[in-house]
PDB file of all heavy atoms in Angstrom:
ATOM      1  N   GLY A   1    -118.677 -75.901  55.508  1.00 88.00           N
ATOM      2  CA  GLY A   1    -118.066 -76.032  54.194  1.00 88.00           C
ATOM      3  C   GLY A   1    -117.040 -77.144  54.085  1.00 88.00           C
ATOM      4  O   GLY A   1    -116.396 -77.299  53.043  1.00 88.00           O
ATOM      5  N   ALA A   2    -116.857 -77.901  55.175  1.00 89.00           N
ATOM      6  CA  ALA A   2    -115.868 -78.981  55.151  1.00 89.00           C
ATOM      7  C   ALA A   2    -116.345 -80.126  54.247  1.00 89.00           C
ATOM      8  O   ALA A   2    -117.544 -80.398  54.136  1.00 89.00           O
ATOM      9  CB  ALA A   2    -115.624 -79.507  56.555  1.00 89.00           C
ATOM     10  N   LEU A   3    -115.420 -80.762  53.599  1.00 90.00           N
ATOM     11  CA  LEU A   3    -115.727 -81.928  52.777  1.00 90.00           C
ATOM     12  C   LEU A   3    -115.900 -83.136  53.682  1.00 90.00           C
ATOM     13  O   LEU A   3    -114.995 -83.486  54.445  1.00 90.00           O
ATOM     14  CB  LEU A   3    -114.601 -82.186  51.766  1.00 90.00           C
ATOM     15  CG  LEU A   3    -114.746 -83.436  50.891  1.00 90.00           C
ATOM     16  CD1 LEU A   3    -115.954 -83.317  49.981  1.00 90.00           C
ATOM     17  CD2 LEU A   3    -113.463 -83.638  50.074  1.00 90.00           C
ATOM     18  N   GLN A   4    -117.048 -83.781  53.622  1.00 86.00           N
ATOM     19  CA  GLN A   4    -117.319 -84.950  54.444  1.00 86.00           C
ATOM     20  C   GLN A   4    -117.326 -86.197  53.572  1.00 86.00           C
ATOM     21  O   GLN A   4    -118.048 -86.268  52.578  1.00 86.00           O
ATOM     22  CB  GLN A   4    -118.668 -84.818  55.155  1.00 86.00           C
ATOM     23  CG  GLN A   4    -118.706 -83.641  56.125  1.00 86.00           C
ATOM     24  CD  GLN A   4    -119.985 -83.614  56.937  1.00 86.00           C
ATOM     25  OE1 GLN A   4    -120.564 -84.661  57.242  1.00 86.00           O
ATOM     26  NE2 GLN A   4    -120.445 -82.419  57.281  1.00 86.00           N
ATOM     27  N   LEU A   5    -116.495 -87.160  53.941  1.00 91.00           N
ATOM     28  CA  LEU A   5    -116.376 -88.414  53.201  1.00 91.00           C
ATOM     29  C   LEU A   5    -116.834 -89.578  54.065  1.00 91.00           C
ATOM     30  O   LEU A   5    -116.710 -89.543  55.291  1.00 91.00           O
ATOM     31  CB  LEU A   5    -114.924 -88.647  52.756  1.00 91.00           C
ATOM     32  CG  LEU A   5    -114.288 -87.544  51.896  1.00 91.00           C
ATOM     33  CD1 LEU A   5    -112.827 -87.871  51.619  1.00 91.00           C
ATOM     34  CD2 LEU A   5    -115.048 -87.387  50.588  1.00 91.00           C
ATOM     35  N   SER A   6    -117.351 -90.613  53.434  1.00 92.00           N
ATOM     36  CA  SER A   6    -117.751 -91.813  54.172  1.00 92.00           C
ATOM     37  C   SER A   6    -117.342 -93.043  53.381  1.00 92.00           C
ATOM     38  O   SER A   6    -117.274 -93.007  52.143  1.00 92.00           O
ATOM     39  CB  SER A   6    -119.272 -91.828  54.413  1.00 92.00           C
ATOM     40  OG  SER A   6    -119.968 -91.837  53.177  1.00 92.00           O
ATOM     41  N   ALA A   7    -117.029 -94.104  54.093  1.00 92.00           N
ATOM     42  CA  ALA A   7    -116.655 -95.368  53.458  1.00 92.00           C
ATOM     43  C   ALA A   7    -117.873 -96.278  53.415  1.00 92.00           C
ATOM     44  O   ALA A   7    -118.651 -96.341  54.362  1.00 92.00           O
ATOM     45  CB  ALA A   7    -115.525 -96.033  54.239  1.00 92.00           C
ATOM     46  N   ASN A   8    -118.047 -96.973  52.294  1.00 93.00           N
ATOM     47  CA  ASN A   8    -119.228 -97.843  52.179  1.00 93.00           C
ATOM     48  C   ASN A   8    -118.873 -99.229  51.631  1.00 93.00           C
ATOM     49  O   ASN A   8    -119.767-100.007  51.308  1.00 93.00           O
ATOM     50  CB  ASN A   8    -120.304 -97.191  51.305  1.00 93.00           C
ATOM     51  CG  ASN A   8    -119.794 -96.839  49.916  1.00 93.00           C
ATOM     52  OD1 ASN A   8    -118.773 -97.340  49.462  1.00 93.00           O
ATOM     53  ND2 ASN A   8    -120.513 -95.963  49.249  1.00 93.00           N
ATOM     54  N   TYR A   9    -117.559 -99.509  51.504  1.00 94.00           N
ATOM     55  CA  TYR A   9    -117.151-100.827  50.984  1.00 94.00           C
ATOM     56  C   TYR A   9    -115.917-101.274  51.757  1.00 94.00           C
ATOM     57  O   TYR A   9    -114.877-100.618  51.701  1.00 94.00           O
ATOM     58  CB  TYR A   9    -116.846-100.744  49.492  1.00 94.00           C
ATOM     59  CG  TYR A   9    -116.835-102.086  48.789  1.00 94.00           C
ATOM     60  CD1 TYR A   9    -117.949-102.538  48.095  1.00 94.00           C
ATOM     61  CD2 TYR A   9    -115.710-102.912  48.822  1.00 94.00           C
ATOM     62  CE1 TYR A   9    -117.949-103.770  47.463  1.00 94.00           C
ATOM     63  CE2 TYR A   9    -115.705-104.137  48.190  1.00 94.00           C
ATOM     64  CZ  TYR A   9    -116.819-104.564  47.502  1.00 94.00           C
ATOM     65  OH  TYR A   9    -116.823-105.789  46.880  1.00 94.00           O
ATOM     66  N   PHE A  10    -116.023-102.371  52.463  1.00 94.00           N
ATOM     67  CA  PHE A  10    -114.943-102.777  53.357  1.00 94.00           C
ATOM     68  C   PHE A  10    -114.343-104.137  53.012  1.00 94.00           C
ATOM     69  O   PHE A  10    -113.496-104.644  53.738  1.00 94.00           O
ATOM     70  CB  PHE A  10    -115.463-102.800  54.800  1.00 94.00           C
ATOM     71  CG  PHE A  10    -115.851-101.448  55.310  1.00 94.00           C
ATOM     72  CD1 PHE A  10    -117.164-101.018  55.232  1.00 94.00           C
ATOM     73  CD2 PHE A  10    -114.913-100.589  55.841  1.00 94.00           C
ATOM     74  CE1 PHE A  10    -117.530 -99.755  55.683  1.00 94.00           C
ATOM     75  CE2 PHE A  10    -115.265 -99.331  56.296  1.00 94.00           C
ATOM     76  CZ  PHE A  10    -116.576 -98.907  56.216  1.00 94.00           C
ATOM     77  N   SER A  11    -114.757-104.732  51.932  1.00 96.00           N
ATOM     78  CA  SER A  11    -114.223-106.038  51.545  1.00 96.00           C
ATOM     79  C   SER A  11    -112.956-105.888  50.709  1.00 96.00           C
ATOM     80  O   SER A  11    -112.834-104.950  49.914  1.00 96.00           O
ATOM     81  CB  SER A  11    -115.264-106.814  50.722  1.00 96.00           C
ATOM     82  OG  SER A  11    -116.422-107.073  51.467  1.00 96.00           O
ATOM     83  N   SER A  12    -112.026-106.824  50.877  1.00 96.00           N
ATOM     84  CA  SER A  12    -110.937-106.945  49.913  1.00 96.00           C
ATOM     85  C   SER A  12    -111.564-107.457  48.625  1.00 96.00           C
ATOM     86  O   SER A  12    -112.326-108.426  48.643  1.00 96.00           O
ATOM     87  CB  SER A  12    -109.878-107.913  50.423  1.00 96.00           C
ATOM     88  OG  SER A  12    -109.252-107.402  51.588  1.00 96.00           O
ATOM     89  N   ALA A  13    -111.259-106.818  47.505  1.00 95.00           N
ATOM     90  CA  ALA A  13    -112.046-107.071  46.302  1.00 95.00           C
ATOM     91  C   ALA A  13    -111.188-107.167  45.051  1.00 95.00           C
ATOM     92  O   ALA A  13    -110.025-106.745  45.021  1.00 95.00           O
ATOM     93  CB  ALA A  13    -113.087-105.969  46.124  1.00 95.00           C
ATOM     94  N   PHE A  14    -111.800-107.719  44.019  1.00 94.00           N
ATOM     95  CA  PHE A  14    -111.225-107.776  42.677  1.00 94.00           C
ATOM     96  C   PHE A  14    -111.959-106.759  41.817  1.00 94.00           C
ATOM     97  O   PHE A  14    -113.184-106.763  41.752  1.00 94.00           O
ATOM     98  CB  PHE A  14    -111.400-109.187  42.092  1.00 94.00           C
ATOM     99  CG  PHE A  14    -111.068-109.288  40.627  1.00 94.00           C
ATOM    100  CD1 PHE A  14    -109.750-109.316  40.203  1.00 94.00           C
ATOM    101  CD2 PHE A  14    -112.070-109.349  39.668  1.00 94.00           C
ATOM    102  CE1 PHE A  14    -109.437-109.403  38.856  1.00 94.00           C
ATOM    103  CE2 PHE A  14    -111.771-109.441  38.310  1.00 94.00           C
ATOM    104  CZ  PHE A  14    -110.449-109.463  37.909  1.00 94.00           C
ATOM    105  N   ILE A  15    -111.200-105.865  41.176  1.00 93.00           N
ATOM    106  CA  ILE A  15    -111.799-104.852  40.307  1.00 93.00           C
ATOM    107  C   ILE A  15    -111.461-105.213  38.867  1.00 93.00           C
ATOM    108  O   ILE A  15    -110.298-105.321  38.502  1.00 93.00           O
ATOM    109  CB  ILE A  15    -111.286-103.448  40.652  1.00 93.00           C
ATOM    110  CG1 ILE A  15    -111.642-103.105  42.108  1.00 93.00           C
ATOM    111  CG2 ILE A  15    -111.893-102.415  39.712  1.00 93.00           C
ATOM    112  CD1 ILE A  15    -111.085-101.778  42.572  1.00 93.00           C
ATOM    113  N   LYS A  16    -112.479-105.388  38.065  1.00 90.00           N
ATOM    114  CA  LYS A  16    -112.313-105.819  36.677  1.00 90.00           C
ATOM    115  C   LYS A  16    -112.488-104.648  35.727  1.00 90.00           C
ATOM    116  O   LYS A  16    -113.442-103.875  35.841  1.00 90.00           O
ATOM    117  CB  LYS A  16    -113.342-106.909  36.346  1.00 90.00           C
ATOM    118  CG  LYS A  16    -113.250-107.465  34.932  1.00 90.00           C
ATOM    119  CD  LYS A  16    -114.297-108.545  34.706  1.00 90.00           C
ATOM    120  CE  LYS A  16    -114.215-109.109  33.297  1.00 90.00           C
ATOM    121  NZ  LYS A  16    -115.251-110.166  33.076  1.00 90.00           N
ATOM    122  N   ASN A  17    -111.547-104.524  34.806  1.00 88.00           N
ATOM    123  CA  ASN A  17    -111.638-103.501  33.758  1.00 88.00           C
ATOM    124  C   ASN A  17    -112.466-104.071  32.613  1.00 88.00           C
ATOM    125  O   ASN A  17    -112.017-104.967  31.899  1.00 88.00           O
ATOM    126  CB  ASN A  17    -110.229-103.124  33.283  1.00 88.00           C
ATOM    127  CG  ASN A  17    -110.251-101.977  32.286  1.00 88.00           C
ATOM    128  OD1 ASN A  17    -111.308-101.604  31.763  1.00 88.00           O
ATOM    129  ND2 ASN A  17    -109.087-101.413  32.018  1.00 88.00           N
ATOM    130  N   ASN A  18    -113.670-103.570  32.434  1.00 90.00           N
ATOM    131  CA  ASN A  18    -114.574-104.070  31.396  1.00 90.00           C
ATOM    132  C   ASN A  18    -114.390-103.364  30.056  1.00 90.00           C
ATOM    133  O   ASN A  18    -115.081-103.685  29.084  1.00 90.00           O
ATOM    134  CB  ASN A  18    -116.029-103.920  31.857  1.00 90.00           C
ATOM    135  CG  ASN A  18    -116.314-104.712  33.110  1.00 90.00           C
ATOM    136  OD1 ASN A  18    -115.951-105.880  33.223  1.00 90.00           O
ATOM    137  ND2 ASN A  18    -116.962-104.079  34.081  1.00 90.00           N
ATOM    138  N   GLY A  19    -113.483-102.397  29.993  1.00 88.00           N
ATOM    139  CA  GLY A  19    -113.262-101.640  28.761  1.00 88.00           C
ATOM    140  C   GLY A  19    -114.161-100.421  28.676  1.00 88.00           C
ATOM    141  O   GLY A  19    -115.163-100.297  29.395  1.00 88.00           O
ATOM    142  N   ASN A  20    -113.794 -99.500  27.811  1.00 93.00           N
ATOM    143  CA  ASN A  20    -114.572 -98.276  27.591  1.00 93.00           C
ATOM    144  C   ASN A  20    -114.780 -97.475  28.875  1.00 93.00           C
ATOM    145  O   ASN A  20    -115.823 -96.845  29.065  1.00 93.00           O
ATOM    146  CB  ASN A  20    -115.928 -98.606  26.956  1.00 93.00           C
ATOM    147  CG  ASN A  20    -115.786 -99.263  25.596  1.00 93.00           C
ATOM    148  OD1 ASN A  20    -114.954 -98.844  24.788  1.00 93.00           O
ATOM    149  ND2 ASN A  20    -116.575-100.292  25.341  1.00 93.00           N
ATOM    150  N   GLY A  21    -113.793 -97.518  29.750  1.00 94.00           N
ATOM    151  CA  GLY A  21    -113.882 -96.746  30.984  1.00 94.00           C
ATOM    152  C   GLY A  21    -114.827 -97.316  32.020  1.00 94.00           C
ATOM    153  O   GLY A  21    -115.160 -96.636  33.000  1.00 94.00           O
ATOM    154  N   LYS A  22    -115.264 -98.566  31.835  1.00 95.00           N
ATOM    155  CA  LYS A  22    -116.199 -99.187  32.761  1.00 95.00           C
ATOM    156  C   LYS A  22    -115.479-100.234  33.618  1.00 95.00           C
ATOM    157  O   LYS A  22    -114.670-101.011  33.114  1.00 95.00           O
ATOM    158  CB  LYS A  22    -117.348 -99.872  32.006  1.00 95.00           C
ATOM    159  CG  LYS A  22    -118.144 -98.938  31.100  1.00 95.00           C
ATOM    160  CD  LYS A  22    -118.905 -97.885  31.891  1.00 95.00           C
ATOM    161  CE  LYS A  22    -119.764 -97.021  30.985  1.00 95.00           C
ATOM    162  NZ  LYS A  22    -120.506 -95.980  31.733  1.00 95.00           N
ATOM    163  N   PHE A  23    -115.791-100.240  34.906  1.00 96.00           N
ATOM    164  CA  PHE A  23    -115.195-101.187  35.836  1.00 96.00           C
ATOM    165  C   PHE A  23    -116.289-101.835  36.679  1.00 96.00           C
ATOM    166  O   PHE A  23    -117.354-101.250  36.901  1.00 96.00           O
ATOM    167  CB  PHE A  23    -114.196-100.489  36.767  1.00 96.00           C
ATOM    168  CG  PHE A  23    -112.998 -99.928  36.060  1.00 96.00           C
ATOM    169  CD1 PHE A  23    -113.061 -98.686  35.425  1.00 96.00           C
ATOM    170  CD2 PHE A  23    -111.806-100.626  36.016  1.00 96.00           C
ATOM    171  CE1 PHE A  23    -111.959 -98.158  34.765  1.00 96.00           C
ATOM    172  CE2 PHE A  23    -110.696-100.104  35.360  1.00 96.00           C
ATOM    173  CZ  PHE A  23    -110.774 -98.881  34.737  1.00 96.00           C
ATOM    174  N   SER A  24    -116.017-103.055  37.144  1.00 94.00           N
ATOM    175  CA  SER A  24    -116.930-103.728  38.069  1.00 94.00           C
ATOM    176  C   SER A  24    -116.116-104.264  39.230  1.00 94.00           C
ATOM    177  O   SER A  24    -114.933-104.595  39.084  1.00 94.00           O
ATOM    178  CB  SER A  24    -117.678-104.871  37.367  1.00 94.00           C
ATOM    179  OG  SER A  24    -116.777-105.807  36.788  1.00 94.00           O
ATOM    180  N   ILE A  25    -116.731-104.342  40.387  1.00 94.00           N
ATOM    181  CA  ILE A  25    -116.034-104.765  41.596  1.00 94.00           C
ATOM    182  C   ILE A  25    -116.765-105.944  42.223  1.00 94.00           C
ATOM    183  O   ILE A  25    -118.003-105.997  42.229  1.00 94.00           O
ATOM    184  CB  ILE A  25    -115.919-103.595  42.597  1.00 94.00           C
ATOM    185  CG1 ILE A  25    -115.080-103.994  43.813  1.00 94.00           C
ATOM    186  CG2 ILE A  25    -117.281-103.076  43.024  1.00 94.00           C
ATOM    187  CD1 ILE A  25    -114.724-102.820  44.712  1.00 94.00           C
ATOM    188  N   ALA A  26    -115.997-106.902  42.735  1.00 94.00           N
ATOM    189  CA  ALA A  26    -116.586-108.071  43.389  1.00 94.00           C
ATOM    190  C   ALA A  26    -115.684-108.474  44.552  1.00 94.00           C
ATOM    191  O   ALA A  26    -114.452-108.473  44.420  1.00 94.00           O
ATOM    192  CB  ALA A  26    -116.722-109.232  42.408  1.00 94.00           C
ATOM    193  N   PRO A  27    -116.261-108.810  45.704  1.00 96.00           N
ATOM    194  CA  PRO A  27    -115.441-109.199  46.849  1.00 96.00           C
ATOM    195  C   PRO A  27    -114.720-110.514  46.586  1.00 96.00           C
ATOM    196  O   PRO A  27    -115.235-111.397  45.894  1.00 96.00           O
ATOM    197  CB  PRO A  27    -116.464-109.343  47.979  1.00 96.00           C
ATOM    198  CG  PRO A  27    -117.760-109.624  47.289  1.00 96.00           C
ATOM    199  CD  PRO A  27    -117.708-108.859  46.007  1.00 96.00           C
ATOM    200  N   LEU A  28    -113.526-110.636  47.120  1.00 96.00           N
ATOM    201  CA  LEU A  28    -112.801-111.892  47.060  1.00 96.00           C
ATOM    202  C   LEU A  28    -113.461-112.896  48.000  1.00 96.00           C
ATOM    203  O   LEU A  28    -114.279-112.526  48.847  1.00 96.00           O
ATOM    204  CB  LEU A  28    -111.339-111.668  47.454  1.00 96.00           C
ATOM    205  CG  LEU A  28    -110.505-110.841  46.463  1.00 96.00           C
ATOM    206  CD1 LEU A  28    -109.140-110.519  47.067  1.00 96.00           C
ATOM    207  CD2 LEU A  28    -110.350-111.561  45.139  1.00 96.00           C
ATOM    208  N   PRO A  29    -113.150-114.193  47.878  1.00 97.00           N
ATOM    209  CA  PRO A  29    -113.757-115.202  48.748  1.00 97.00           C
ATOM    210  C   PRO A  29    -113.542-114.907  50.239  1.00 97.00           C
ATOM    211  O   PRO A  29    -112.639-114.141  50.613  1.00 97.00           O
ATOM    212  CB  PRO A  29    -113.042-116.491  48.334  1.00 97.00           C
ATOM    213  CG  PRO A  29    -112.629-116.254  46.924  1.00 97.00           C
ATOM    214  CD  PRO A  29    -112.280-114.799  46.852  1.00 97.00           C
ATOM    215  N   VAL A  30    -114.348-115.530  51.067  1.00 97.00           N
ATOM    216  CA  VAL A  30    -114.329-115.285  52.513  1.00 97.00           C
ATOM    217  C   VAL A  30    -112.946-115.488  53.116  1.00 97.00           C
ATOM    218  O   VAL A  30    -112.517-114.729  53.994  1.00 97.00           O
ATOM    219  CB  VAL A  30    -115.355-116.202  53.221  1.00 97.00           C
ATOM    220  CG1 VAL A  30    -115.222-116.095  54.730  1.00 97.00           C
ATOM    221  CG2 VAL A  30    -116.773-115.826  52.800  1.00 97.00           C
ATOM    222  N   LEU A  31    -112.231-116.513  52.655  1.00 96.00           N
ATOM    223  CA  LEU A  31    -110.913-116.789  53.232  1.00 96.00           C
ATOM    224  C   LEU A  31    -109.907-115.674  52.964  1.00 96.00           C
ATOM    225  O   LEU A  31    -108.869-115.604  53.626  1.00 96.00           O
ATOM    226  CB  LEU A  31    -110.370-118.121  52.693  1.00 96.00           C
ATOM    227  CG  LEU A  31    -111.053-119.380  53.226  1.00 96.00           C
ATOM    228  CD1 LEU A  31    -110.435-120.625  52.619  1.00 96.00           C
ATOM    229  CD2 LEU A  31    -110.963-119.437  54.756  1.00 96.00           C
ATOM    230  N   ALA A  32    -110.203-114.801  52.019  1.00 97.00           N
ATOM    231  CA  ALA A  32    -109.336-113.648  51.761  1.00 97.00           C
ATOM    232  C   ALA A  32    -109.759-112.432  52.582  1.00 97.00           C
ATOM    233  O   ALA A  32    -109.153-111.368  52.466  1.00 97.00           O
ATOM    234  CB  ALA A  32    -109.352-113.297  50.277  1.00 97.00           C
ATOM    235  N   GLN A  33    -110.797-112.577  53.403  1.00 97.00           N
ATOM    236  CA  GLN A  33    -111.314-111.460  54.188  1.00 97.00           C
ATOM    237  C   GLN A  33    -110.937-111.563  55.665  1.00 97.00           C
ATOM    238  O   GLN A  33    -111.286-110.687  56.453  1.00 97.00           O
ATOM    239  CB  GLN A  33    -112.848-111.397  54.078  1.00 97.00           C
ATOM    240  CG  GLN A  33    -113.398-111.415  52.675  1.00 97.00           C
ATOM    241  CD  GLN A  33    -113.060-110.181  51.864  1.00 97.00           C
ATOM    242  OE1 GLN A  33    -112.687-109.140  52.413  1.00 97.00           O
ATOM    243  NE2 GLN A  33    -113.193-110.274  50.543  1.00 97.00           N
ATOM    244  N   VAL A  34    -110.227-112.628  56.059  1.00 96.00           N
ATOM    245  CA  VAL A  34    -110.017-112.890  57.490  1.00 96.00           C
ATOM    246  C   VAL A  34    -108.898-112.057  58.099  1.00 96.00           C
ATOM    247  O   VAL A  34    -108.754-112.002  59.320  1.00 96.00           O
ATOM    248  CB  VAL A  34    -109.743-114.389  57.742  1.00 96.00           C
ATOM    249  CG1 VAL A  34    -110.927-115.233  57.305  1.00 96.00           C
ATOM    250  CG2 VAL A  34    -108.475-114.844  57.023  1.00 96.00           C
ATOM    251  N   SER A  35    -108.084-111.410  57.274  1.00 97.00           N
ATOM    252  CA  SER A  35    -106.985-110.611  57.800  1.00 97.00           C
ATOM    253  C   SER A  35    -106.553-109.592  56.753  1.00 97.00           C
ATOM    254  O   SER A  35    -107.116-109.522  55.662  1.00 97.00           O
ATOM    255  CB  SER A  35    -105.812-111.510  58.187  1.00 97.00           C
ATOM    256  OG  SER A  35    -104.837-110.784  58.918  1.00 97.00           O
ATOM    257  N   ILE A  36    -105.526-108.823  57.102  1.00 95.00           N
ATOM    258  CA  ILE A  36    -104.981-107.834  56.179  1.00 95.00           C
ATOM    259  C   ILE A  36    -104.214-108.541  55.070  1.00 95.00           C
ATOM    260  O   ILE A  36    -103.472-109.498  55.316  1.00 95.00           O
ATOM    261  CB  ILE A  36    -104.060-106.867  56.930  1.00 95.00           C
ATOM    262  CG1 ILE A  36    -104.899-105.946  57.824  1.00 95.00           C
ATOM    263  CG2 ILE A  36    -103.218-106.037  55.973  1.00 95.00           C
ATOM    264  CD1 ILE A  36    -104.094-105.007  58.669  1.00 95.00           C
ATOM    265  N   LEU A  37    -104.383-108.073  53.825  1.00 96.00           N
ATOM    266  CA  LEU A  37    -103.654-108.617  52.687  1.00 96.00           C
ATOM    267  C   LEU A  37    -102.501-107.684  52.355  1.00 96.00           C
ATOM    268  O   LEU A  37    -102.707-106.490  52.155  1.00 96.00           O
ATOM    269  CB  LEU A  37    -104.583-108.757  51.476  1.00 96.00           C
ATOM    270  CG  LEU A  37    -105.911-109.484  51.700  1.00 96.00           C
ATOM    271  CD1 LEU A  37    -106.653-109.635  50.378  1.00 96.00           C
ATOM    272  CD2 LEU A  37    -105.691-110.838  52.358  1.00 96.00           C
ATOM    273  N   ASN A  38    -101.304-108.233  52.263  1.00 96.00           N
ATOM    274  CA  ASN A  38    -100.125-107.418  51.950  1.00 96.00           C
ATOM    275  C   ASN A  38     -99.547-107.810  50.600  1.00 96.00           C
ATOM    276  O   ASN A  38     -99.977-107.321  49.580  1.00 96.00           O
ATOM    277  CB  ASN A  38     -99.092-107.546  53.071  1.00 96.00           C
ATOM    278  CG  ASN A  38     -99.543-106.881  54.362  1.00 96.00           C
ATOM    279  OD1 ASN A  38    -100.101-105.787  54.345  1.00 96.00           O
ATOM    280  ND2 ASN A  38     -99.318-107.530  55.486  1.00 96.00           N
ATOM    281  N   GLY A  39     -98.564-108.697  50.593  1.00 95.00           N
ATOM    282  CA  GLY A  39     -97.955-109.097  49.334  1.00 95.00           C
ATOM    283  C   GLY A  39     -98.891-109.939  48.486  1.00 95.00           C
ATOM    284  O   GLY A  39     -99.596-110.804  48.992  1.00 95.00           O
TER     285      GLY A  39
END
């Protein structure tokens, strides 16, 4: 009965609000994927 979760998206990404409760996601360029993003 345990809740099992899995991750399926590992890119740093831009999430766009398309309106009406709809969103789309797109990975940032490769140079933004080389390390952890903080500020």
Side-chain angles (χ1 to χ4, degrees):
L3 176 65
Q4 297 187 31
L5 303 176
S6 61
N8 57 18
Y9 198 97
F10 295 95
S11 298
S12 295
F14 170 77
I15 300 176
K16 181 179 180 180
N17 185 347
N18 299 313
N20 298 318
K22 302 294 184 181
F23 295 82
S24 56
I25 185 170
L28 292 172
V30 173
L31 288 180
Q33 309 293 342
V34 299
S35 191
I36 288 177
L37 309 185
N38 291 318

